[in-house]
Amino acid sequence: MKRWIKLGLMMLGFGGGEMTASADVSGVSSGPIVIAHRGASGYRPEHTLMSYKLGLQMKADYIEPDLVMTKDGHLVARHDIYLSGTTDIADHPEFADRKRKLEGHDDWFVFDFTLNELKTLKAIQPRPKRGDVFDGQESIPTMDEILSLMKAAKADGSKAGLYIEMKRPALFKKVGLDPTVALLAMLKEVTGAGIPVYFQCFDGAYLNEFVGKTDAELIWLIEGKKDRKSKSYVLEAPLALYGTNVDGVGLNKALLLGPEGKPTSIVDDAHALGLDVHVWTIRNDQVPKGIRSVEEELKLLFSLGVDGVFADFPDTALQSRDSFMLLKAGPADD
Ligand code: G3P
Ligand code: CA
């Protein structure tokens, strides 16, 4: 639900956390939404069609593609602008001379390659502990291919939506690849197909360019910074400054816990501003210190009132969400 509608309802007395609960936003799920982060990336190489398909099969509420742009202007799914971590490009001698230094990385960069060239690469698992069984099987998907997958899933009865992030728009503009027109057209196609959609970005100024031009819900991603004294994460500016034009915030989960793991008020503060709160990233194989299990972490986040979680292992997050909602509802009347 758009923020201005939520604020209006709050003024009419329909306030509180339940108004920002994501069940009201999308109709996709009951309770906080579960976003398959880079697909079901805990189980398959991230940002591959097989990773997205597994997320759909698990019935994640949203599938998350991170987008970058090729040299010839195609939107494709990668988390990074460099290619060595998630593809087999190092095994392609024909591209050896394209390696260069940028931003401290001696690597191959996505905007130096056409789509046809990128399509010759195969995706690999960037986290060795997750295994390499599925490496080398699929190419980098285009946004068009992802949209076709989602349309086919919808035709099969899926209610899942897309939670699309544009990576590094200022850098793409700097290298002469402004993604805005392609993104607006793509978002129009997604909404036109009746697929629920969020559009997220760390660059708030860039998100502003989309205000009033798309029906997608806009989410400002916020990392925060580590406070030297307390060693916990804090915002770099008051929350109200982030939330003027967007429908929600995508928060680094570290912002929810202050010194000694004591919860901060950030979720309630965001809700008071009419903003949804989605947090990243929940990983079964990377649970924060002081928390015993990923289930305990999820329960804590849900009890703090978050409206959604980005999860590498969406099945675990869905189970925890459903258990949390059952407990919250209490015993059924006979
Ligand atoms: O977009 C939410 C979350 O994915 C942000 O972190 O770096 O994994 O894209 P990142
Ligand atoms: Ca992302």
Side-chain angles (χ1 to χ4, degrees), residues 67-132:
L67 296 182
V68 292
M69 196 166 232
T70 66
K71 187 179 179 178
D72 50 348
H74 295 273
L75 293 169
V76 297
R78 282 298 89 184
H79 176 265
D80 306 303
I81 55 165
Y82 52 90
L83 293 159
S84 69
T86 62
T87 75
D88 63 355
I89 193 158
D91 301 329
H92 285 252
E94 70 277 21
F95 296 138
D97 61 352
R98 305 262 189 109
K99 199 175 185 185
R100 64 176 171 124
K101 272 202 178 125
L102 190 70
E103 298 182 343
H105 286 275
D106 194 11
D107 216 306
W108 294 266
F109 294 89
V110 68
F111 35 72
D112 292 335
F113 292 83
T114 64
L115 178 60
N116 281 343
E117 287 171 336
L118 280 183
K119 277 289 185 188
T120 65
L121 308 179
K122 295 292 184 203
I124 61 169
Q125 171 58 255
R127 292 174 178 251
K129 284 187 181 160
R130 291 182 178 177
D132 59 4

Short mmCIF file of all heavy atoms in Angstrom, two decimals, residues 67-132:
data_model
loop_
_atom_site.label_atom_id
_atom_site.label_comp_id
_atom_site.label_asym_id
_atom_site.label_seq_id
_atom_site.Cartn_x
_atom_site.Cartn_y
_atom_site.Cartn_z
N LEU A 67 19.64 -5.72 -10.19
CA LEU A 67 19.89 -5.47 -11.60
C LEU A 67 21.12 -4.61 -11.87
O LEU A 67 21.40 -3.65 -11.13
CB LEU A 67 18.67 -4.78 -12.23
CG LEU A 67 17.38 -5.61 -12.27
CD1 LEU A 67 16.28 -4.82 -12.97
CD2 LEU A 67 17.59 -6.95 -12.93
N VAL A 68 21.81 -4.96 -12.94
CA VAL A 68 22.91 -4.14 -13.47
C VAL A 68 22.66 -4.05 -14.99
O VAL A 68 21.73 -4.65 -15.50
CB VAL A 68 24.29 -4.79 -13.18
CG1 VAL A 68 24.59 -4.76 -11.69
CG2 VAL A 68 24.36 -6.23 -13.71
N MET A 69 23.51 -3.26 -15.69
CA MET A 69 23.26 -3.06 -17.12
C MET A 69 24.48 -3.45 -17.96
O MET A 69 25.61 -3.18 -17.58
CB MET A 69 22.89 -1.60 -17.37
CG MET A 69 22.23 -1.37 -18.71
SD MET A 69 21.45 0.24 -18.78
CE MET A 69 19.81 -0.22 -19.33
N THR A 70 24.20 -4.09 -19.11
CA THR A 70 25.30 -4.50 -19.99
C THR A 70 25.75 -3.31 -20.85
O THR A 70 25.05 -2.29 -20.93
CB THR A 70 24.85 -5.62 -20.95
OG1 THR A 70 23.85 -5.08 -21.83
CG2 THR A 70 24.27 -6.80 -20.18
N LYS A 71 26.88 -3.50 -21.51
CA LYS A 71 27.45 -2.46 -22.39
C LYS A 71 26.44 -2.02 -23.46
O LYS A 71 26.42 -0.87 -23.86
CB LYS A 71 28.69 -3.05 -23.06
CG LYS A 71 29.53 -2.12 -23.87
CD LYS A 71 30.72 -2.91 -24.43
CE LYS A 71 31.61 -2.03 -25.28
NZ LYS A 71 32.77 -2.79 -25.78
N ASP A 72 25.61 -2.96 -23.91
CA ASP A 72 24.62 -2.63 -24.94
C ASP A 72 23.22 -2.41 -24.37
O ASP A 72 22.21 -2.54 -25.07
CB ASP A 72 24.61 -3.68 -26.07
CG ASP A 72 24.52 -5.12 -25.56
OD1 ASP A 72 24.69 -5.33 -24.35
OD2 ASP A 72 24.27 -6.01 -26.38
N GLY A 73 23.16 -2.07 -23.07
CA GLY A 73 21.91 -1.55 -22.52
C GLY A 73 20.85 -2.55 -22.09
O GLY A 73 19.68 -2.20 -21.99
N HIS A 74 21.24 -3.77 -21.79
CA HIS A 74 20.26 -4.76 -21.30
C HIS A 74 20.35 -4.87 -19.78
O HIS A 74 21.45 -4.92 -19.22
CB HIS A 74 20.51 -6.14 -21.92
CG HIS A 74 20.30 -6.17 -23.40
ND1 HIS A 74 19.05 -6.41 -23.96
CD2 HIS A 74 21.16 -5.96 -24.43
CE1 HIS A 74 19.16 -6.35 -25.28
NE2 HIS A 74 20.42 -6.08 -25.59
N LEU A 75 19.18 -4.96 -19.15
CA LEU A 75 19.15 -5.18 -17.70
C LEU A 75 19.33 -6.67 -17.43
O LEU A 75 18.57 -7.50 -17.96
CB LEU A 75 17.82 -4.71 -17.11
CG LEU A 75 17.56 -3.20 -17.15
CD1 LEU A 75 16.10 -2.89 -16.80
CD2 LEU A 75 18.50 -2.45 -16.20
N VAL A 76 20.32 -6.99 -16.62
CA VAL A 76 20.58 -8.40 -16.25
C VAL A 76 20.74 -8.48 -14.74
O VAL A 76 20.99 -7.47 -14.06
CB VAL A 76 21.84 -8.97 -16.95
CG1 VAL A 76 21.68 -8.99 -18.46
CG2 VAL A 76 23.10 -8.21 -16.56
N ALA A 77 20.61 -9.70 -14.22
CA ALA A 77 20.63 -9.88 -12.76
C ALA A 77 22.02 -10.25 -12.26
O ALA A 77 22.54 -11.32 -12.59
CB ALA A 77 19.63 -10.96 -12.37
N ARG A 78 22.61 -9.36 -11.48
CA ARG A 78 23.85 -9.62 -10.73
C ARG A 78 23.84 -8.72 -9.52
O ARG A 78 23.33 -7.60 -9.57
CB ARG A 78 25.12 -9.25 -11.53
CG ARG A 78 25.64 -10.18 -12.62
CD ARG A 78 26.07 -11.54 -12.17
NE ARG A 78 24.90 -12.41 -12.22
CZ ARG A 78 24.89 -13.68 -11.81
NH1 ARG A 78 25.99 -14.21 -11.30
NH2 ARG A 78 23.80 -14.40 -11.87
N HIS A 79 24.43 -9.18 -8.45
CA HIS A 79 24.54 -8.34 -7.27
C HIS A 79 25.69 -7.34 -7.40
O HIS A 79 25.61 -6.22 -6.92
CB HIS A 79 24.77 -9.22 -6.03
CG HIS A 79 24.99 -8.44 -4.78
ND1 HIS A 79 26.24 -8.14 -4.30
CD2 HIS A 79 24.12 -7.86 -3.92
CE1 HIS A 79 26.13 -7.43 -3.19
NE2 HIS A 79 24.85 -7.24 -2.94
N ASP A 80 26.76 -7.79 -8.06
CA ASP A 80 27.97 -6.95 -8.13
C ASP A 80 28.17 -6.42 -9.55
O ASP A 80 27.72 -7.03 -10.52
CB ASP A 80 29.20 -7.78 -7.74
CG ASP A 80 29.01 -8.44 -6.39
OD1 ASP A 80 28.76 -7.71 -5.42
OD2 ASP A 80 29.10 -9.68 -6.33
N ILE A 81 28.93 -5.32 -9.65
CA ILE A 81 29.28 -4.82 -10.98
C ILE A 81 30.44 -5.62 -11.57
O ILE A 81 30.69 -5.57 -12.76
CB ILE A 81 29.65 -3.31 -10.95
CG1 ILE A 81 30.77 -3.04 -9.94
CG2 ILE A 81 28.43 -2.46 -10.68
CD1 ILE A 81 31.42 -1.67 -10.10
N TYR A 82 31.15 -6.35 -10.72
CA TYR A 82 32.25 -7.20 -11.21
C TYR A 82 31.77 -8.65 -11.29
O TYR A 82 30.79 -9.04 -10.67
CB TYR A 82 33.49 -7.06 -10.32
CG TYR A 82 33.24 -7.25 -8.86
CD1 TYR A 82 33.33 -8.51 -8.28
CD2 TYR A 82 32.90 -6.17 -8.05
CE1 TYR A 82 33.09 -8.70 -6.94
CE2 TYR A 82 32.65 -6.35 -6.70
CZ TYR A 82 32.74 -7.61 -6.15
OH TYR A 82 32.48 -7.80 -4.82
N LEU A 83 32.49 -9.43 -12.07
CA LEU A 83 31.94 -10.73 -12.49
C LEU A 83 32.65 -11.96 -11.92
O LEU A 83 32.15 -13.08 -12.05
CB LEU A 83 31.95 -10.82 -14.02
CG LEU A 83 31.00 -9.84 -14.71
CD1 LEU A 83 31.41 -9.61 -16.16
CD2 LEU A 83 29.57 -10.36 -14.64
N SER A 84 33.80 -11.77 -11.29
CA SER A 84 34.59 -12.97 -10.93
C SER A 84 33.96 -13.79 -9.81
O SER A 84 34.13 -15.00 -9.77
CB SER A 84 36.01 -12.56 -10.52
OG SER A 84 35.96 -11.85 -9.29
N GLY A 85 33.22 -13.13 -8.92
CA GLY A 85 32.68 -13.86 -7.76
C GLY A 85 31.57 -14.82 -8.09
O GLY A 85 31.44 -15.87 -7.46
N THR A 86 30.77 -14.50 -9.10
CA THR A 86 29.56 -15.30 -9.34
C THR A 86 29.50 -15.93 -10.73
O THR A 86 28.46 -16.48 -11.10
CB THR A 86 28.29 -14.43 -9.14
OG1 THR A 86 28.32 -13.36 -10.10
CG2 THR A 86 28.20 -13.88 -7.74
N THR A 87 30.59 -15.80 -11.50
CA THR A 87 30.60 -16.46 -12.82
C THR A 87 31.96 -17.12 -13.05
O THR A 87 32.93 -16.87 -12.32
CB THR A 87 30.37 -15.47 -13.98
OG1 THR A 87 31.56 -14.70 -14.19
CG2 THR A 87 29.20 -14.55 -13.73
N ASP A 88 32.02 -17.90 -14.14
CA ASP A 88 33.28 -18.59 -14.48
C ASP A 88 34.15 -17.76 -15.42
O ASP A 88 34.95 -18.32 -16.17
CB ASP A 88 32.95 -19.95 -15.10
CG ASP A 88 32.19 -19.81 -16.43
OD1 ASP A 88 31.83 -18.66 -16.81
OD2 ASP A 88 31.94 -20.84 -17.07
N ILE A 89 34.03 -16.44 -15.37
CA ILE A 89 34.76 -15.60 -16.34
C ILE A 89 36.27 -15.83 -16.29
O ILE A 89 36.95 -15.71 -17.32
CB ILE A 89 34.40 -14.10 -16.17
CG1 ILE A 89 34.91 -13.33 -17.38
CG2 ILE A 89 34.94 -13.52 -14.86
CD1 ILE A 89 34.24 -12.02 -17.63
N ALA A 90 36.80 -16.20 -15.14
CA ALA A 90 38.25 -16.43 -15.04
C ALA A 90 38.70 -17.59 -15.93
O ALA A 90 39.88 -17.69 -16.29
CB ALA A 90 38.62 -16.71 -13.59
N ASP A 91 37.75 -18.45 -16.31
CA ASP A 91 38.08 -19.59 -17.18
C ASP A 91 37.86 -19.27 -18.66
O ASP A 91 37.81 -20.18 -19.49
CB ASP A 91 37.21 -20.81 -16.80
CG ASP A 91 37.41 -21.22 -15.36
OD1 ASP A 91 38.53 -21.02 -14.86
OD2 ASP A 91 36.45 -21.74 -14.75
N HIS A 92 37.67 -18.01 -18.99
CA HIS A 92 37.43 -17.61 -20.38
C HIS A 92 38.63 -16.80 -20.89
O HIS A 92 38.65 -15.57 -20.75
CB HIS A 92 36.16 -16.76 -20.49
CG HIS A 92 34.89 -17.55 -20.37
ND1 HIS A 92 34.06 -17.82 -21.44
CD2 HIS A 92 34.34 -18.18 -19.31
CE1 HIS A 92 33.03 -18.55 -21.04
NE2 HIS A 92 33.18 -18.79 -19.74
N PRO A 93 39.61 -17.48 -21.52
CA PRO A 93 40.81 -16.77 -21.99
C PRO A 93 40.49 -15.65 -22.98
O PRO A 93 41.22 -14.66 -23.05
CB PRO A 93 41.65 -17.87 -22.65
CG PRO A 93 40.77 -19.06 -22.79
CD PRO A 93 39.66 -18.92 -21.81
N GLU A 94 39.39 -15.78 -23.71
CA GLU A 94 39.04 -14.75 -24.70
C GLU A 94 38.72 -13.40 -24.04
O GLU A 94 38.73 -12.37 -24.70
CB GLU A 94 37.87 -15.22 -25.59
CG GLU A 94 36.50 -15.33 -24.94
CD GLU A 94 36.27 -16.65 -24.17
OE1 GLU A 94 37.25 -17.30 -23.79
OE2 GLU A 94 35.09 -16.99 -23.94
N PHE A 95 38.45 -13.42 -22.73
CA PHE A 95 38.14 -12.16 -22.03
C PHE A 95 39.29 -11.71 -21.11
O PHE A 95 39.14 -10.74 -20.37
CB PHE A 95 36.86 -12.31 -21.19
CG PHE A 95 35.63 -12.56 -22.00
CD1 PHE A 95 34.68 -13.50 -21.60
CD2 PHE A 95 35.40 -11.85 -23.18
CE1 PHE A 95 33.53 -13.74 -22.35
CE2 PHE A 95 34.25 -12.09 -23.95
CZ PHE A 95 33.32 -13.04 -23.52
N ALA A 96 40.41 -12.41 -21.16
CA ALA A 96 41.52 -12.11 -20.24
C ALA A 96 41.94 -10.63 -20.32
O ALA A 96 42.21 -10.00 -19.29
CB ALA A 96 42.71 -13.03 -20.53
N ASP A 97 41.96 -10.08 -21.52
CA ASP A 97 42.45 -8.69 -21.66
C ASP A 97 41.40 -7.64 -21.25
O ASP A 97 41.68 -6.45 -21.29
CB ASP A 97 42.92 -8.44 -23.09
CG ASP A 97 41.81 -8.62 -24.11
OD1 ASP A 97 40.70 -9.07 -23.72
OD2 ASP A 97 42.04 -8.30 -25.30
N ARG A 98 40.22 -8.08 -20.85
CA ARG A 98 39.20 -7.10 -20.37
C ARG A 98 39.32 -6.85 -18.87
O ARG A 98 38.61 -6.01 -18.33
CB ARG A 98 37.79 -7.61 -20.63
CG ARG A 98 37.51 -7.99 -22.04
CD ARG A 98 36.79 -6.91 -22.82
NE ARG A 98 36.42 -7.51 -24.07
CZ ARG A 98 35.19 -7.81 -24.41
NH1 ARG A 98 34.20 -7.49 -23.62
NH2 ARG A 98 34.93 -8.41 -25.55
N LYS A 99 40.19 -7.62 -18.23
CA LYS A 99 40.33 -7.44 -16.78
C LYS A 99 40.96 -6.07 -16.51
O LYS A 99 41.92 -5.69 -17.21
CB LYS A 99 41.22 -8.55 -16.22
CG LYS A 99 41.10 -8.77 -14.75
CD LYS A 99 41.95 -9.97 -14.33
CE LYS A 99 41.72 -10.28 -12.87
NZ LYS A 99 42.60 -11.35 -12.40
N ARG A 100 40.42 -5.34 -15.56
CA ARG A 100 40.99 -4.03 -15.23
C ARG A 100 40.71 -3.67 -13.79
O ARG A 100 39.91 -4.33 -13.11
CB ARG A 100 40.46 -2.97 -16.18
CG ARG A 100 38.95 -2.72 -16.08
CD ARG A 100 38.57 -1.58 -16.99
NE ARG A 100 37.14 -1.38 -17.15
CZ ARG A 100 36.51 -0.24 -16.88
NH1 ARG A 100 37.18 0.80 -16.42
NH2 ARG A 100 35.21 -0.12 -17.08
N LYS A 101 41.40 -2.61 -13.35
CA LYS A 101 41.24 -2.20 -11.94
C LYS A 101 40.19 -1.09 -11.83
O LYS A 101 40.24 -0.11 -12.56
CB LYS A 101 42.57 -1.67 -11.41
CG LYS A 101 43.43 -2.76 -10.82
CD LYS A 101 44.45 -2.20 -9.85
CE LYS A 101 45.23 -3.37 -9.27
NZ LYS A 101 46.66 -3.24 -9.43
N LEU A 102 39.25 -1.31 -10.93
CA LEU A 102 38.22 -0.29 -10.67
C LEU A 102 37.74 -0.46 -9.24
O LEU A 102 37.47 -1.59 -8.81
CB LEU A 102 37.06 -0.49 -11.67
CG LEU A 102 36.01 0.62 -11.73
CD1 LEU A 102 36.57 1.89 -12.34
CD2 LEU A 102 34.80 0.14 -12.54
N GLU A 103 37.67 0.64 -8.53
CA GLU A 103 37.18 0.63 -7.15
C GLU A 103 37.86 -0.44 -6.30
O GLU A 103 37.22 -1.13 -5.50
CB GLU A 103 35.65 0.41 -7.12
CG GLU A 103 34.87 1.50 -7.81
CD GLU A 103 33.36 1.28 -7.71
OE1 GLU A 103 32.93 0.16 -7.40
OE2 GLU A 103 32.63 2.27 -7.91
N GLY A 104 39.15 -0.61 -6.50
CA GLY A 104 39.90 -1.57 -5.68
C GLY A 104 39.76 -3.01 -6.11
O GLY A 104 40.33 -3.90 -5.49
N HIS A 105 38.98 -3.25 -7.17
CA HIS A 105 38.83 -4.62 -7.67
C HIS A 105 39.62 -4.77 -8.96
O HIS A 105 39.47 -3.97 -9.89
CB HIS A 105 37.36 -4.94 -7.97
CG HIS A 105 36.54 -5.15 -6.76
ND1 HIS A 105 36.46 -6.37 -6.12
CD2 HIS A 105 35.75 -4.30 -6.06
CE1 HIS A 105 35.67 -6.26 -5.07
NE2 HIS A 105 35.23 -5.01 -5.01
N ASP A 106 40.46 -5.82 -9.02
CA ASP A 106 41.12 -6.17 -10.27
C ASP A 106 40.22 -7.25 -10.88
O ASP A 106 40.29 -8.41 -10.46
CB ASP A 106 42.53 -6.70 -9.95
CG ASP A 106 43.38 -6.77 -11.19
OD1 ASP A 106 42.97 -6.23 -12.23
OD2 ASP A 106 44.47 -7.37 -11.12
N ASP A 107 39.37 -6.87 -11.82
CA ASP A 107 38.28 -7.78 -12.17
C ASP A 107 37.73 -7.46 -13.57
O ASP A 107 38.24 -6.58 -14.26
CB ASP A 107 37.16 -7.64 -11.11
CG ASP A 107 36.47 -8.94 -10.80
OD1 ASP A 107 36.00 -9.59 -11.76
OD2 ASP A 107 36.40 -9.33 -9.62
N TRP A 108 36.66 -8.18 -13.90
CA TRP A 108 35.92 -7.93 -15.14
C TRP A 108 34.62 -7.24 -14.74
O TRP A 108 33.95 -7.69 -13.80
CB TRP A 108 35.59 -9.24 -15.84
CG TRP A 108 36.79 -9.98 -16.33
CD1 TRP A 108 37.34 -9.92 -17.58
CD2 TRP A 108 37.58 -10.94 -15.60
NE1 TRP A 108 38.42 -10.77 -17.67
CE2 TRP A 108 38.59 -11.42 -16.47
CE3 TRP A 108 37.56 -11.44 -14.28
CZ2 TRP A 108 39.55 -12.36 -16.08
CZ3 TRP A 108 38.50 -12.38 -13.90
CH2 TRP A 108 39.49 -12.83 -14.79
N PHE A 109 34.24 -6.20 -15.48
CA PHE A 109 33.08 -5.40 -15.08
C PHE A 109 31.94 -5.54 -16.08
O PHE A 109 32.17 -5.54 -17.30
CB PHE A 109 33.49 -3.94 -14.88
CG PHE A 109 34.44 -3.80 -13.72
CD1 PHE A 109 35.81 -3.93 -13.91
CD2 PHE A 109 33.95 -3.67 -12.43
CE1 PHE A 109 36.68 -3.88 -12.83
CE2 PHE A 109 34.82 -3.62 -11.34
CZ PHE A 109 36.19 -3.73 -11.54
N VAL A 110 30.75 -5.63 -15.55
CA VAL A 110 29.58 -5.99 -16.36
C VAL A 110 29.36 -5.00 -17.51
O VAL A 110 28.97 -5.41 -18.62
CB VAL A 110 28.33 -6.12 -15.45
CG1 VAL A 110 27.90 -4.80 -14.87
CG2 VAL A 110 27.19 -6.79 -16.18
N PHE A 111 29.68 -3.71 -17.29
CA PHE A 111 29.40 -2.72 -18.35
C PHE A 111 30.46 -2.72 -19.45
O PHE A 111 30.39 -1.94 -20.39
CB PHE A 111 29.23 -1.31 -17.76
CG PHE A 111 30.10 -1.01 -16.58
CD1 PHE A 111 31.46 -0.82 -16.72
CD2 PHE A 111 29.54 -0.95 -15.30
CE1 PHE A 111 32.25 -0.55 -15.62
CE2 PHE A 111 30.32 -0.69 -14.19
CZ PHE A 111 31.69 -0.49 -14.36
N ASP A 112 31.44 -3.61 -19.37
CA ASP A 112 32.43 -3.77 -20.45
C ASP A 112 32.04 -4.91 -21.38
O ASP A 112 32.79 -5.25 -22.29
CB ASP A 112 33.81 -4.08 -19.86
CG ASP A 112 34.39 -2.89 -19.11
OD1 ASP A 112 34.01 -1.75 -19.41
OD2 ASP A 112 35.23 -3.10 -18.21
N PHE A 113 30.87 -5.53 -21.14
CA PHE A 113 30.47 -6.71 -21.91
C PHE A 113 29.08 -6.53 -22.51
O PHE A 113 28.18 -5.99 -21.85
CB PHE A 113 30.45 -7.96 -21.00
CG PHE A 113 31.83 -8.36 -20.54
CD1 PHE A 113 32.42 -7.73 -19.44
CD2 PHE A 113 32.55 -9.33 -21.22
CE1 PHE A 113 33.70 -8.08 -19.03
CE2 PHE A 113 33.83 -9.68 -20.82
CZ PHE A 113 34.42 -9.06 -19.71
N THR A 114 28.94 -7.01 -23.76
CA THR A 114 27.59 -7.02 -24.36
C THR A 114 26.81 -8.19 -23.77
O THR A 114 27.40 -9.11 -23.18
CB THR A 114 27.67 -7.20 -25.89
OG1 THR A 114 28.24 -8.50 -26.16
CG2 THR A 114 28.50 -6.11 -26.55
N LEU A 115 25.51 -8.17 -24.01
CA LEU A 115 24.69 -9.28 -23.51
C LEU A 115 25.14 -10.61 -24.13
O LEU A 115 25.26 -11.61 -23.43
CB LEU A 115 23.21 -9.02 -23.83
CG LEU A 115 22.25 -10.13 -23.39
CD1 LEU A 115 22.32 -10.37 -21.88
CD2 LEU A 115 20.82 -9.83 -23.81
N ASN A 116 25.42 -10.60 -25.43
CA ASN A 116 25.84 -11.86 -26.07
C ASN A 116 27.11 -12.40 -25.43
O ASN A 116 27.26 -13.60 -25.23
CB ASN A 116 26.07 -11.64 -27.57
CG ASN A 116 24.76 -11.64 -28.32
OD1 ASN A 116 23.74 -12.08 -27.78
ND2 ASN A 116 24.77 -11.12 -29.54
N GLU A 117 28.03 -11.50 -25.10
CA GLU A 117 29.27 -11.95 -24.45
C GLU A 117 28.98 -12.51 -23.05
O GLU A 117 29.47 -13.57 -22.67
CB GLU A 117 30.26 -10.79 -24.35
CG GLU A 117 30.87 -10.43 -25.71
CD GLU A 117 31.69 -9.15 -25.66
OE1 GLU A 117 31.46 -8.28 -24.78
OE2 GLU A 117 32.57 -8.99 -26.53
N LEU A 118 28.15 -11.77 -22.29
CA LEU A 118 27.83 -12.23 -20.92
C LEU A 118 27.14 -13.58 -20.94
O LEU A 118 27.33 -14.40 -20.03
CB LEU A 118 26.93 -11.22 -20.22
CG LEU A 118 27.58 -9.98 -19.62
CD1 LEU A 118 26.52 -9.15 -18.90
CD2 LEU A 118 28.69 -10.33 -18.66
N LYS A 119 26.35 -13.81 -21.98
CA LYS A 119 25.60 -15.07 -22.06
C LYS A 119 26.51 -16.29 -22.26
O LYS A 119 26.06 -17.42 -22.12
CB LYS A 119 24.56 -14.99 -23.19
CG LYS A 119 23.27 -14.29 -22.74
CD LYS A 119 22.49 -15.17 -21.77
CE LYS A 119 21.15 -14.63 -21.38
NZ LYS A 119 20.53 -15.41 -20.30
N THR A 120 27.78 -16.06 -22.59
CA THR A 120 28.70 -17.20 -22.73
C THR A 120 29.25 -17.64 -21.36
O THR A 120 29.91 -18.67 -21.26
CB THR A 120 29.89 -16.88 -23.67
OG1 THR A 120 30.69 -15.85 -23.06
CG2 THR A 120 29.41 -16.43 -25.04
N LEU A 121 29.00 -16.84 -20.32
CA LEU A 121 29.48 -17.17 -18.98
C LEU A 121 28.48 -18.06 -18.26
O LEU A 121 27.30 -18.05 -18.56
CB LEU A 121 29.68 -15.90 -18.14
CG LEU A 121 30.52 -14.78 -18.75
CD1 LEU A 121 30.60 -13.60 -17.78
CD2 LEU A 121 31.92 -15.28 -19.09
N LYS A 122 28.97 -18.81 -17.28
CA LYS A 122 28.08 -19.62 -16.44
C LYS A 122 28.16 -19.16 -14.99
O LYS A 122 29.24 -18.76 -14.51
CB LYS A 122 28.47 -21.10 -16.51
CG LYS A 122 28.31 -21.71 -17.88
CD LYS A 122 26.84 -21.83 -18.31
CE LYS A 122 26.71 -22.54 -19.65
NZ LYS A 122 25.47 -22.20 -20.35
N ALA A 123 27.03 -19.24 -14.31
CA ALA A 123 26.97 -18.79 -12.91
C ALA A 123 27.60 -19.83 -11.98
O ALA A 123 27.49 -21.04 -12.21
CB ALA A 123 25.52 -18.56 -12.51
N ILE A 124 28.24 -19.32 -10.93
CA ILE A 124 28.82 -20.20 -9.91
C ILE A 124 28.42 -19.73 -8.52
O ILE A 124 28.00 -18.57 -8.33
CB ILE A 124 30.37 -20.28 -10.00
CG1 ILE A 124 31.00 -18.89 -9.79
CG2 ILE A 124 30.81 -20.88 -11.33
CD1 ILE A 124 32.50 -18.91 -9.60
N GLN A 125 28.55 -20.60 -7.57
CA GLN A 125 28.21 -20.31 -6.17
C GLN A 125 29.35 -19.49 -5.54
O GLN A 125 30.49 -19.95 -5.49
CB GLN A 125 28.04 -21.65 -5.42
CG GLN A 125 27.91 -21.56 -3.92
CD GLN A 125 26.75 -20.71 -3.49
OE1 GLN A 125 26.94 -19.57 -3.04
NE2 GLN A 125 25.54 -21.23 -3.63
N PRO A 126 29.04 -18.27 -5.07
CA PRO A 126 30.11 -17.45 -4.51
C PRO A 126 30.53 -17.84 -3.09
O PRO A 126 31.59 -17.44 -2.64
CB PRO A 126 29.51 -16.03 -4.52
CG PRO A 126 28.04 -16.24 -4.48
CD PRO A 126 27.75 -17.56 -5.14
N ARG A 127 29.70 -18.60 -2.39
CA ARG A 127 30.04 -18.98 -1.01
C ARG A 127 30.43 -20.46 -1.00
O ARG A 127 29.55 -21.33 -1.06
CB ARG A 127 28.85 -18.74 -0.08
CG ARG A 127 28.54 -17.26 0.10
CD ARG A 127 27.27 -17.06 0.91
NE ARG A 127 27.04 -15.65 1.11
CZ ARG A 127 27.17 -15.01 2.28
NH1 ARG A 127 27.46 -15.67 3.37
NH2 ARG A 127 26.97 -13.71 2.36
N PRO A 128 31.72 -20.76 -0.92
CA PRO A 128 32.19 -22.14 -1.07
C PRO A 128 31.49 -23.13 -0.15
O PRO A 128 31.21 -24.26 -0.56
CB PRO A 128 33.68 -22.05 -0.71
CG PRO A 128 34.04 -20.62 -0.91
CD PRO A 128 32.80 -19.81 -0.67
N LYS A 129 31.16 -22.73 1.06
CA LYS A 129 30.53 -23.67 1.99
C LYS A 129 29.16 -24.14 1.51
O LYS A 129 28.62 -25.13 2.02
CB LYS A 129 30.41 -23.05 3.39
CG LYS A 129 31.74 -23.03 4.11
CD LYS A 129 31.59 -22.59 5.54
CE LYS A 129 32.96 -22.55 6.21
NZ LYS A 129 32.99 -21.71 7.38
N ARG A 130 28.57 -23.42 0.57
CA ARG A 130 27.24 -23.81 0.07
C ARG A 130 27.33 -24.86 -1.04
O ARG A 130 26.32 -25.32 -1.54
CB ARG A 130 26.47 -22.58 -0.40
CG ARG A 130 26.09 -21.69 0.77
CD ARG A 130 25.28 -20.48 0.34
NE ARG A 130 24.89 -19.68 1.49
CZ ARG A 130 24.23 -18.53 1.43
NH1 ARG A 130 23.89 -18.03 0.24
NH2 ARG A 130 23.90 -17.87 2.52
N GLY A 131 28.56 -25.22 -1.42
CA GLY A 131 28.73 -26.30 -2.38
C GLY A 131 28.68 -25.83 -3.83
O GLY A 131 28.13 -24.78 -4.13
N ASP A 132 29.29 -26.65 -4.72
CA ASP A 132 29.39 -26.24 -6.13
C ASP A 132 28.60 -27.15 -7.07
O ASP A 132 28.81 -27.15 -8.28
CB ASP A 132 30.87 -26.19 -6.55
CG ASP A 132 31.56 -27.54 -6.37
OD1 ASP A 132 30.87 -28.51 -6.00
OD2 ASP A 132 32.78 -27.61 -6.61
#
